[in-house]
Amino acid sequence: MIEDLLIGSYLWVKAAHIVAVVSWMAGLLYLPRLFVYHVERGTPGSEVSETFKVMEMKLYRFIMNPAMMVSWVLGLWLAAIPGVIGGWFLGKLAAVIAMTWFHIWLGKRRKEFLADENVRSGRTYRLMNEVPTVLLIAIAVLVIVKPF
């Protein structure tokens, strides 16, 4: 019964998983960019800085967090479907764990901005903005090419 439900739901769950991952990735790519602008234009205590704080909070709490949770739940659902997982899955899992670490790292940086305690430069956030891109490339190759 449960196996039939898992197999029958495969395409719908896969589609929803892709939508959740795209939403999560959008946030992972956009939040560091907001941090760059916040560092470079948002003098602590200024109206601009306070606007960035609101934008960062809403992006993180209302888009990124739910998208990450849905991505994980649906990804695990897909992994539970018989015959779906191959050797590539462990590589994908490692990349998703790294994405989750990056998500948490961004959340800590957001709290530093909220407290006007950011000590990192715009250059740091520009460099960190490449992390989700590299992970996305790795995940796409692992899932589509399935090199092992």
Side-chain angles (χ1 to χ4, degrees):
M1 178 73 177
I2 291 179
E3 188 172 316
D4 292 336
L5 174 66
L6 289 172
I7 293 169
S9 65
Y10 176 70
L11 292 177
W12 285 103
V13 173
K14 188 175 181 180
H17 179 64
I18 290 169
V19 169
V21 170
V22 168
S23 299
W24 187 22
M25 284 302 303
L28 290 173
L29 291 165
Y30 187 47
L31 189 57
R33 180 54 48 188
L34 281 177
F35 290 164
V36 169
Y37 299 140
H38 197 155
V39 167
E40 294 178 353
R41 299 206 169 71
T43 307
S46 70
E47 185 177 335
V48 170
S49 178
E50 297 306 309
T51 300
F52 278 122
K53 289 176 186 180
V54 171
M55 292 170 64
E56 293 156 359
M57 181 274 296
K58 288 184 178 185
L59 176 63
Y60 193 79
R61 289 183 57 199
F62 301 126
I63 296 172
M64 293 173 65
N65 280 344
M68 179 187 67
M69 289 185 268
V70 171
S71 295
W72 267 101
V73 168
L74 296 180
L76 292 172
W77 183 328
L78 290 169
I81 296 172
V84 172
I85 297 179
W88 56 270
F89 179 76
L90 290 179
K92 178 189 177 186
L93 182 61
V96 173
I97 289 169
M99 265 179 35
T100 303
W101 170 86
F102 184 65
H103 179 105
I104 294 165
W105 185 85
L106 290 173
K108 290 179 181 180
R109 303 301 71 85
R110 186 189 70 79
K111 287 181 181 178
E112 289 172 359
F113 276 107
L114 188 61
D116 292 325
E117 295 174 353
N118 174 62
V119 294
R120 289 164 183 78
S121 68
R123 184 173 190 275
T124 299
Y125 293 117
R126 279 188 184 88
L127 289 171
M128 292 305 284
N129 199 192
E130 303 308 318
V131 170
T133 303
V134 171
L135 292 170
L136 173 62
I137 292 167
I139 290 168
V141 168
L142 288 164
V143 172
I144 294 167
V145 178
K146 294 183 170 76
F148 49 88

